[in-house]
């Protein structure tokens, strides 16, 4: 065959078959509320879970699998999952059967880290997620909910390690540093949001950091 | 490199022609001649300059060994050198000037599979080689030489068939180790058929059997090379293939070539299907009319299995409207054929059968540059080059000539599908300076050459090229070997990776062209890990996932590979190969320490360091932060080891296992750690609880509690954060002694009993013993984070969360107990703190409301509660 010179590209497509999980845990049958949520991913390796998340657009038919995949990657502290987790920051998991019935699951009240599983997963991955989290805060393409959740991740990672005032101060520094007015605006909003995450014992220091005090 | 067929005698002169494809370094070779009886003779070393050529006179070499070159001898040759890849294009040229015969045979790489770096599955050993013969006049006969390069004798049969696969003769031969057998195919002379097949079968493998052959008529000075191919052991699926025969000549000879007057040429083309399936081949004739390329598509030719067909090329030309055509033209054959299923031979022969211009069928496919082994313009020689641009777009090529002491670059722009034919002597005679101001001195008569894209040698181009060195006076024409340039050596850098779990290391795929140029193929490559559960790889960046070993492979499917094998006919696809791969071996090391609950100051504690993988050989070191010291081991270790640490001062300590950076970096790589507390006394905890007021100001989980339920109040609250409902908030406190204890302490909570109801109807009961410990987001486990130090916290709020406004009352009754434990599970609270929560809630249009229809409901307190709906 004679033809034009062209570099061919192979497209590697990875698919994971989904099952529509319909089995829900019964109250008190263990702390892992994701048991039985998605049989096809129960034994999947972290790389397979990442490929699944990279390819998926969450909807009602796959939300149990998405939630389970995120949960497993967070528990494994799998750093290669940071990118898809950031993309799914505004993904809200479906309710459990206990929640549908109006009663709490074991493990205490459910915060943003639980309702939006990517938040919890990124919290567990820790500091290595921070550059991506900052990019998500700055990006125009990030939804307001995802940005709010990104701020929650940012603050939680610092809460566990260096303290929340430092987290606020670093956001403020990014706001000052950037020359892009749109990004500056988004960071300004993130600083305001970050202040709501500060513990009473650190509120004063957080406010000072938000005002641009030296770290 | 090894192979070829050399023949000496009173009229036969044999020479090894070498071109050094390396353009950066000289390479020294040691030629070794093997006689047909297996005896070997080592000839003096020859050094080839970068891109240089050399001719080794075999007759002279034998003479130096005390062997008369006048004796009719034959054998094969080997050239030995120290270089990471096969750097030469090597051929053996046998010339019988007295009879105007010339036979040129290529040498092949020494290794059975020359493309070790190619991304190919191992192929099964084959035992059959297929060949083809034809004769254009009745006096033509043939020969086959079988060289056994192994150390085991090989029993070989040679079956000669006619064009319908009927046997004409069957020859058998036992070829001694490193020996050669020469078989005369005299049956060709008497055969009624004018074309047919040759099937060679060995009881060894075809990897170690080198087959060469020829057709000749001494009386007329006719000589041609017999083509052979090794079909794959298992038939491969058909794929599109396009093969070009370039520079065929029809009609009166070009006067510039100085042939005797009235010399006319007739083109020939012979095809054989050596597969077991029919193959349809569609020919197209291409020629130039002025500066424009013309073509004529001809009807398809059906080739049955094992069928040989000599085409009537003149009739084909006539069909194309070129009945009286004088000049050069090309034929392409398009087919859907399995690799290794077609054999082709082509050329042009004059009316006396003395001048035979053979052309090598070339695959039409993308490549980088291609090298021509040798050109000559001395002693009556000239080298004719035909270049065809098969693309439907113009391309700018450059034709680079290399010679002793210099090089010359000829720009060669070719329009769509255009062909250009030229003699090297023209370029030398023209004396036109190239872009660098170079010309070829008139004294230069030989060298090598290359065709490439105008950008550089690595530019992907679509080009077909053929060349032949002819000598009108001697009536000889020898084909010029064409090499596919490309990557000769590929390596993964670093070849050894050692990272810890979660650690990363960058691997690069570096290819080295035969010319010596290095290219970074990392970003173009597809990367795979043999064990993704051990290590993942993305664009060459390896991340450790779990302890173990993994091979990290990079594969660039479109990078060209250097291949000399298109010279010797073993190229079943006729095209330059692509696809470079290399692998790197990765070890993901991990050291897991058994729990150290704490260490008392001045005391020791033991932990077991478990090393994975168990076959680790990398020395592992230990270091610990200043609050403690490692007592043993005193040196490094490689396998599971008991470790003793000693407490020095009160505080937190981290014991870390490291290995040296395999790339020599200054920072060791951490492959595991454990944190523990060094304490003045064994820690104990007293558990209490707050159920009113607000969250303690030094509880660092306060903000998470607030964002979840919307308030920092404890006791009865209506949740208005991310969780909504009727909640009972509580803060469990663990007071740690000594307060200086620097390790984490977790407050656990267990459901002792409980029940849920809708109105008075039970909706379930948690099994006793259900763990209800809060998420870490709601805990403050570090007693050094409180003010004053010495307290850990656990926040939670529990209660019904009616899903909708339905008039129902949702109730929970739960008994809990709480206790304090170290991370490893050691309980340090002397007694459990038992408490209960009971609450009833409904959802109205205005929100959640506690329901007080049961006396004593909506409370939290120490002790236990009845779990009936009405608390009775």
């Amino acid at each position: 065959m004679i033809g034009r010179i062209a570099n061919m590209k192979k497209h590697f497509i990875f698919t994971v078959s989904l099952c529509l999980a319909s089995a829900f845990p019964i109250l008190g049958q263990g702390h892992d509320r994701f048991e039985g949520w998605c049989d096809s991913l129960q034994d999947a390796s972290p790389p397979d879970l990442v490929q699944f998340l990279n390819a998926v657009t969450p909807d009602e038919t796959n939300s149990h699998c998405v939630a389970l995949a995120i949960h497993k990657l967070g528990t494994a502290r799998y750093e290669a999952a940071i990118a898809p987790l950031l993309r799914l920051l505004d993904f809200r998991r479906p309710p459990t059967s206990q929640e549908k019935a109006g009663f709490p699951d074991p493990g205490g009240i459910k915060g943003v880290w639980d309702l939006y599983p990517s938040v919890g997963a990124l919290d567990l991955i820790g500091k290595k997620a921070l550059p991506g989290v900052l990019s998500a805060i700055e990006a125009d393409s990030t939804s307001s909910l995802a940005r709010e959740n990104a701020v929650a991740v940012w603050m939680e990672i610092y809460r566990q390690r260096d303290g929340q005032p430092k987290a606020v101060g670093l956001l403020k520094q990014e706001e000052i540093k950037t020359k892009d007015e749109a990004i500056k605006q988004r960071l300004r909003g993130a600083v305001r949001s970050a202040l709501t995450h500060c513990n009473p014992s650190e509120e004063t220091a957080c406010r000072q950091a938000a005002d641009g005090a030296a770290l | 490199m090894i192979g070829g067929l050399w023949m000496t005698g009173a009229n036969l002169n044999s020479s090894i022609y070498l071109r050094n494809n390396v353009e950066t370094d000289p390479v020294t070779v040691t030629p070794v001649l093997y006689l047909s009886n297996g005896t070997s003779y080592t000839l003096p070393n020859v050094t080839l300059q970068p891109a240089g050529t050399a001719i080794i006179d075999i007759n002279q070499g034998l003479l130096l060994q005390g062997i008369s070159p006048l004796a009719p001898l034959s054998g094969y040759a080997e050239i030995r050198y120290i270089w990471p890849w096969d750097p030469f294009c090597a051929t053996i040229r046998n010339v019988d000037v007295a009879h105007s015969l010339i036979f040129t045979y290529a040498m092949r790489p020494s290794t059975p599979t020359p493309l070790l770096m190619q991304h190919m599955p191992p192929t099964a050993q084959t035992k059959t080689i297929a060949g083809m013969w034809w004769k254009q006049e009745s006096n033509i006969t043939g020969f086959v030489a079988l060289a056994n390069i192994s150390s085991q004798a090989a029993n070989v049969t040679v079956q000669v068939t006619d064009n319908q696969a009927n046997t004409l003769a069957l020859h058998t031969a036992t070829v001694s180790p490193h020996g050669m057998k020469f078989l005369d195919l005299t049956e060709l002379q008497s055969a009624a058929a004018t074309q047919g097949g040759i099937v060679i079968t060995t009881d060894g493998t075809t990897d170690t059997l080198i087959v060469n052959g020829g057709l000749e008529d001494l009386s007329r000075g006719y000589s041609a090379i017999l083509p052979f191919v090794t079909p794959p052991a298992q038939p491969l699926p058909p794929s599109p293939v396009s093969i070009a025969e370039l520079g065929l000549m029809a009609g009166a000879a070009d006067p510039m070539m100085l042939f005797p007057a009235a010399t006319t040429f007739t083109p020939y083309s012979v095809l054989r299907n050596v597969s077991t399936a029919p193959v349809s081949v569609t020919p197209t004739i291409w020629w130039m009319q002025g500066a424009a390329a013309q073509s004529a598509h001809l009807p398809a030719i059906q080739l049955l299995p094992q069928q040989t067909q000599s085409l009537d090329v003149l009739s084909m030309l006539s069909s194309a409207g070129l009945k009286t055509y004088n000049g050069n033209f090309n034929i392409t054959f398009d087919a859907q054929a399995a690799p290794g299923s077609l054999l082709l031979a082509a050329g042009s022969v004059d009316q006396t059968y003395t001048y035979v211009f053979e052309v090598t069928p070339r695959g039409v496919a993308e490549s980088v540059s291609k090298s021509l082994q040798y050109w000559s313009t001395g002693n009556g020689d000239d080298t004719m080059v035909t270049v065809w641009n098969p693309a439907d777009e113009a391309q700018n090529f450059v034709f680079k000539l290399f010679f002793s002491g210099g090089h010359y670059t000829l720009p060669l722009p070719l329009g769509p599908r255009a062909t250009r034919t030229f003699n090297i002597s023209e370029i030398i005679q023209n004396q036109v300076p190239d872009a660098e101001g170079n010309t070829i001195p008139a004294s230069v008569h030989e060298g090598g050459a290359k065709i490439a894209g105008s950008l550089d040698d690595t530019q992907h181009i679509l080009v077909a090229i053929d060349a032949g060195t002819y000598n009108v006076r001697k009536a000889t024409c020898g084909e010029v070997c064409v090499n596919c340039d490309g990557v000769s050596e590929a390596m993964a850098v670093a070849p050894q990776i050692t990272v810890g779990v979660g650690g990363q290391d960058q691997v690069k795929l570096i290819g080295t062209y035969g010319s010596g140029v290095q290219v970074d193929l990392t970003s173009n490559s597809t990367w795979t890990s043999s064990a993704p559960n051990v290590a993942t790889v993305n664009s060459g960046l390896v991340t450790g996932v779990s302890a173990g070993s993994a091979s990290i492979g990079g594969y660039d499917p479109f990078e060209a590979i250097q291949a000399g094998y298109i010279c010797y006919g073993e190229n079943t696809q006729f095209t330059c190969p692509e696809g470079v791969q290399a692998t790197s071996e990765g070890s993901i090391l991990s050291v897991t320490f058994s729990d150290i609950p704490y260490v008392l100051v001045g005391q020791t504690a033991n932990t077991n360091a478990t090393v994975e993988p168990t076959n680790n050989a990398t020395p592992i070191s230990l270091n610990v932060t200043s609050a403690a010291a490692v007592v043993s081991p005193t040196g490094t270790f490689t396998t599971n080891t008991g470790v003793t640490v000693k407490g020095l001062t009160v505080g937190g300590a981290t014991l870390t296992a490291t290995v040296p950076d395999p790339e020599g970096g200054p920072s060791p790589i951490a492959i595991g750690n454990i944190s523990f507390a060094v304490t003045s006394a064994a820690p104990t905890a007293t558990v209490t609880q707050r159920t009113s007021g607000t969250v303690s100001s030094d509880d660092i989980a306060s903000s998470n509690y607030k964002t979840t339920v919307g308030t920092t109040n404890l006791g009865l609250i209506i949740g208005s954060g991310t969780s909504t409902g009727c909640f009972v908030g509580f803060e469990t406190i663990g007071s740690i002694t000594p307060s200086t204890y620097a390790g984490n302490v977790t407050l656990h909570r267990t459901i002792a009993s409980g029940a849920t109801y809708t109105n008075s109807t039970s909706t379930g009961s948690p099994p006793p013993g259900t763990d209800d410990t809060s998420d870490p987001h709601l805990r403050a486990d570090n007693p050094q984070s409180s003010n004053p130090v010495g307290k850990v916290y656990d926040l939670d709020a529990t209660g019904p969360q009616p899903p909708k406004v339905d008039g129902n009352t949702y109730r929970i009754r739960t008994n809990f107990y709480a206790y304090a434990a170290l991370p490893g599970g050691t309980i340090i609270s002397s007694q459990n703190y038992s408490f209960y929560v009971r609450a009833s809630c409904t959802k109205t249009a205005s929100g959640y409301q506690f329901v007080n229809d049961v006396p004593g409901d909506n409370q939290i307190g120490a002790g236990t509660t009845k779990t009936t709906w009405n608390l009775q």
Side-chain angles (χ1 to χ4, degrees):
Chain A
M1 189 178 69
I2 300 168
R4 300 179 67 84
I5 303 169
N7 277 326
M8 294 172 287
K9 289 181 180 173
K10 285 182 181 175
H11 295 279
F12 177 67
I13 300 169
F14 179 86
T15 56
V16 173
S17 59
L18 298 177
C19 78
L20 302 182
S22 56
F24 296 96
I26 300 166
L27 174 65
Q29 281 193 336
H31 206 125
D32 187 351
R33 293 166 299 120
F34 298 99
E35 271 182 24
W37 267 33
C38 177
D39 289 344
S40 63
L41 292 183
Q42 287 291 348
D43 298 321
S45 68
D48 288 346
L49 294 170
V50 168
Q51 295 227 35
F52 166 68
L53 291 182
N54 280 334
V56 77
T57 300
D59 59 30
E60 284 182 5
T61 64
N62 60 27
S63 58
H64 290 90
C65 287
V66 174
L68 178 73
I70 294 172
H71 170 70
K72 288 170 82 85
L73 289 167
T75 305
R77 292 167 168 77
Y78 193 64
E79 291 166 18
I82 289 173
L85 293 176
L86 290 168
R87 187 175 67 83
L88 295 167
L89 266 173
D90 53 4
F91 165 73
R92 183 172 178 134
R93 68 164 172 81
T96 66
S97 57
Q98 275 296 108
E99 289 168 339
K100 282 181 179 173
F103 299 105
D105 278 310
I109 45 176
K110 307 308 177 195
V112 64
W113 61 87
D114 184 280
L115 300 174
Y116 299 91
S118 284
V119 173
L122 290 164
D123 288 348
L124 286 170
I125 289 171
K127 274 193 162 179
K128 292 204 170 167
L130 288 173
V133 172
L134 180 62
S135 297
I137 290 170
E138 293 177 337
D140 181 43
S141 57
T142 305
S143 69
S144 56
L145 175 58
R147 184 174 295 110
E148 189 63 37
N149 288 346
V151 172
V153 174
W154 182 270
M155 295 301 288
E156 177 62 19
I157 291 172
Y158 279 100
R159 183 187 78 88
Q160 294 169 0
R161 291 169 179 80
D162 304 316
Q164 293 167 319
K166 183 167 185 180
V168 176
L170 288 171
L171 280 178
K172 184 67 184 177
Q173 282 185 358
E174 291 295 326
E175 179 202 329
I176 294 167
K177 210 163 55 181
T178 185
K179 291 185 169 60
D180 185 310
E181 193 52 41
I183 293 175
K184 198 182 278 292
Q185 279 291 111
R186 290 191 277 275
L187 285 166
R188 194 170 295 144
V191 171
R192 280 197 300 273
S193 172
L195 286 173
T196 67
H197 290 270
C198 284
N199 284 305
S201 59
E202 296 182 313
E203 267 178 12
T204 305
C206 279
R207 271 194 222 98
Q208 289 170 345
D211 291 337
L215 295 175
Chain B
M1 300 180 77
I2 199 165
L5 161 63
W6 59 263
M7 298 178 284
T8 61
N11 297 312
L12 266 168
N13 284 290
S14 189
S15 302
I16 301 174
Y17 283 65
L18 293 173
R19 176 172 188 259
N20 180 8
N21 290 325
V22 182
E23 296 173 12
T24 53
D25 295 276
V27 183
T28 298
V29 301
T30 303
V32 180
L33 299 179
Y34 287 88
L35 269 61
S36 54
N37 63 3
T39 307
S40 65
Y41 294 96
T42 302
L43 304 187
N45 286 354
V46 176
T47 297
L48 282 88
Q49 295 308 307
T53 54
I55 301 172
I56 300 166
D57 187 329
I58 291 177
N59 294 55
Q60 192 65 26
L62 290 171
L63 190 60
L64 288 173
Q65 304 290 331
I67 301 169
S68 170
L70 300 177
L73 297 173
S74 61
Y76 70 93
E78 184 178 11
I79 52 170
R80 298 172 181 165
Y81 41 83
I82 298 173
W83 198 255
W85 60 84
D86 292 311
F88 298 110
C89 193
T91 54
I92 298 178
R93 183 174 295 187
N94 303 282
V95 181
D96 180 345
V97 176
H99 295 99
S100 297
L101 304 180
I102 182 167
F103 298 99
T104 304
Y105 300 105
M107 299 173 75
R108 74 180 201 190
S110 308
T111 48
T113 305
L115 307 174
L116 289 174
M117 65 194 149
Q118 200 174 0
H119 193 70
M120 292 172 70
T123 53
Q125 288 186 334
T126 55
K127 293 182 174 296
T128 303
I129 294 172
M132 177 175 75
W133 64 271
W134 66 96
K135 59 179 187 180
Q136 286 145 325
E137 43 96 0
S138 59
N139 203 37
I140 287 175
T141 184
F143 63 86
V144 168
L146 308 167
N148 175 12
I149 62 171
S150 77
S151 55
Q152 304 290 324
N155 296 304
V156 183
T157 61
V158 177
Q159 179 193 18
V160 180
T161 66
D162 65 14
N163 60 330
Q164 299 301 321
N166 300 310
T167 301
L168 297 176
L170 191 64
H171 305 261
T172 60
T174 298
V175 190
S176 58
H178 300 291
M180 201 184 76
K181 276 283 164 57
F182 206 94
L183 302 176
D184 283 320
L185 308 183
T186 52
E187 61 273 16
L188 299 188
Q189 218 164 6
S190 57
T194 56
Q195 67 264 321
I198 301 170
V199 180
I200 298 169
T201 308
T202 176
D203 64 353
T205 77
T206 54
D207 286 340
T208 56
L209 184 69
I210 294 177
V211 178
N212 289 294
L215 296 169
E216 63 183 3
D217 178 352
L218 272 65
S219 63
R220 291 177 180 266
Y222 176 93
S223 56
I225 302 297
L226 287 177
F228 293 95
V229 68
T230 305
Q234 300 296 328
L236 297 171
S239 56
V241 62
S242 182
I243 304 163
E245 294 171 346
L246 303 186
L248 298 172
M249 296 185 289
D254 182 346
M256 287 186 63
M257 296 178 78
L258 306 177
F259 284 102
T263 299
T264 60
F265 283 97
T266 301
Y268 68 91
S269 181
V270 191
L271 289 79
R272 176 168 166 77
N273 174 8
V274 300
S275 75
T276 55
V279 175
S280 176
V281 178
T282 304
T284 303
I285 292 180
W286 302 84
W287 72 100
M288 296 298 290
Q289 194 165 55
Q294 306 291 322
S295 65
H297 301 281
L298 302 178
I301 300 161
Q302 303 299 324
L303 289 172
L304 297 175
Q306 307 302 318
Q307 183 184 353
T308 308
Q309 185 163 345
S310 185
L311 305 182
D312 185 347
V313 182
L314 289 179
S315 292
M316 291 166 65
L317 283 172
S318 185
S319 300
L322 303 172
K323 190 172 183 180
T324 59
Y325 185 75
N326 272 351
N328 292 9
F329 65 98
N330 310 326
I331 302 178
T332 57
F333 296 101
D334 289 297
Q336 183 80 14
S341 58
L342 283 175
L343 261 179
L344 294 93
S348 308
V349 61
D350 78 312
Q351 72 271 29
T352 66
Y353 301 102
T354 298
Y355 299 112
V356 184
F357 276 73
E358 293 179 89
V359 302
T360 300
R362 313 277 184 195
V364 179
E366 252 187 74
S367 69
V368 291
S369 61
K370 293 177 179 178
S371 291
L372 274 63
Q373 180 204 20
Y374 182 76
W375 55 264
S376 170
T377 58
N379 299 318
D381 285 350
D382 202 351
T383 301
M384 186 170 72
V385 180
T386 303
V387 182
W388 181 46
N389 170 16
D392 57 5
E393 61 190 34
Q395 294 186 84
N396 290 319
F397 304 118
V398 291
F399 188 74
K400 300 179 184 177
L401 293 113
F402 301 92
F403 50 87
S404 178
H407 63 272
Y408 178 84
T409 303
L410 175 73
L412 205 61
L414 278 182
R417 316 209 171 190
T419 301
R420 182 167 165 189
T421 302
F422 56 90
N423 286 334
I424 301 288
S425 61
E426 296 171 34
I427 300 171
I428 298 173
Q429 286 162 13
N430 288 343
Q431 289 293 301
V432 177
D434 68 7
E436 298 174 52
N438 298 324
T439 56
I440 304 174
S443 59
V444 169
H445 296 295
E446 64 180 7
K450 173 187 288 187
I451 185 143
S454 58
L455 300 180
D456 60 38
D457 289 356
T458 66
Q459 182 186 350
H460 278 236
I461 53 177
L462 185 60
V463 69
I465 187 169
D466 200 78
T469 295
Y470 65 97
N471 189 306
V472 174
R473 196 173 64 233
K474 297 175 186 171
T476 58
C477 179
E479 274 210 271
V480 174
C481 177
V482 177
N483 245 14
C484 295
D485 292 340
V487 171
S488 298
E489 189 183 49
M491 57 184 175
V493 181
Q496 290 287 329
I497 314 159
T498 303
V499 296
V501 174
Q504 294 185 316
D505 197 4
Q506 178 69 48
V507 182
K508 291 187 171 186
L509 177 57
I510 304 293
T512 303
Y513 266 60
S515 61
V517 173
Q518 283 200 330
V519 286
D520 187 345
L521 309 174
T522 307
S523 60
N524 296 337
S525 298
T526 301
W527 291 88
T528 53
S529 166
S530 65
N533 58 326
V534 172
T536 60
V537 60
N538 183 13
S539 300
L541 184 65
V542 179
T543 303
V545 176
S546 63
S549 300
S551 290
I552 305 299
Y555 171 53
D556 182 344
F558 302 115
E559 186 57 46
I561 297 176
Q562 176 177 293
Y565 71 133
I566 60 172
C567 291
Y568 68 88
E570 284 297 311
N571 180 5
T572 56
Q573 304 247 50
F574 300 95
T575 56
C576 292
E578 290 180 326
V580 175
Q581 75 164 10
T583 58
S584 181
E585 296 306 317
S587 292
I588 312 304
L589 289 178
S590 102
V591 172
T592 309
F593 295 98
S594 60
D595 184 45
I596 304 175
Y598 54 84
V599 186
L600 295 173
V601 173
Q603 303 281 312
T604 61
N606 298 320
T607 179
N608 293 318
T610 303
V611 180
E612 291 183 279
T614 53
N615 62 352
N616 169 59
T618 305
I620 300 169
S621 303
L622 292 174
N623 58 68
V624 65
T625 50
S626 59
V630 176
V631 176
S632 69
T634 53
T636 59
F637 59 100
T638 57
T639 56
N640 296 351
T641 302
V643 178
T644 302
V645 292
K646 182 178 182 180
L648 299 179
T649 59
V650 170
T654 301
L655 175 66
T656 305
T658 63
V659 292
D661 182 348
E663 292 168 38
S667 302
I669 294 166
I671 56 170
N673 66 67
I674 184 174
S675 294
F676 56 92
V678 180
T679 178
S680 57
T684 60
T686 302
V687 180
T688 57
Q689 194 172 65
R690 294 180 63 237
T691 59
S692 61
T694 58
V695 175
S696 299
S697 62
D698 61 346
D699 184 342
I700 63 165
S702 172
S703 61
N704 285 335
Y705 178 83
K706 184 179 178 183
T707 57
T708 303
V709 295
T711 177
T712 57
N713 290 340
L714 302 173
L716 300 185
I717 53 176
I718 299 297
S720 59
T722 50
S723 288
T724 56
C726 300
F727 292 129
V728 181
F730 54 91
E731 182 180 55
T732 309
I733 304 160
S735 299
I736 311 300
T737 303
S739 61
T740 54
Y741 184 73
N744 282 353
V745 176
T746 298
L747 290 169
H748 291 263
R749 187 173 61 247
T750 302
I751 297 174
S753 61
T756 58
Y757 301 90
T758 302
N759 302 317
S760 60
T761 304
S762 172
T763 54
S765 298
T770 298
D771 181 25
D772 191 41
T773 302
S774 296
D775 187 274
H777 289 81
L778 292 169
R779 302 198 315 253
D781 291 348
N782 180 2
Q784 300 307 304
S785 69
S786 66
N787 184 19
V789 297
K791 281 180 287 182
V792 293
Y793 293 103
D794 167 36
L795 279 168
D796 196 14
T798 188
Q801 298 169 266
K804 58 188 173 184
V805 179
D806 57 10
N808 291 326
T809 299
Y810 294 77
R811 308 179 198 275
I812 67 166
R813 282 80 172 89
T814 313
N815 289 305
F816 302 94
Y817 62 87
Y819 60 93
L822 301 181
T826 305
I827 296 173
I828 61 168
S829 49
S830 56
Q831 60 184 40
N832 294 336
Y833 179 85
S834 296
F835 67 101
Y836 66 87
V837 170
R838 50 198 189 211
S840 296
C841 183
T842 189
K843 189 175 186 181
T844 67
S846 57
Y848 296 99
Q849 290 181 359
F850 284 98
V851 177
N852 291 298
D853 60 336
V854 174
D857 207 348
N858 301 312
Q859 287 185 8
I860 180 170
T864 59
T865 182
K866 288 189 174 178
T867 59
T868 54
W869 75 271
N870 58 1
L871 304 175
Q872 298 300 308

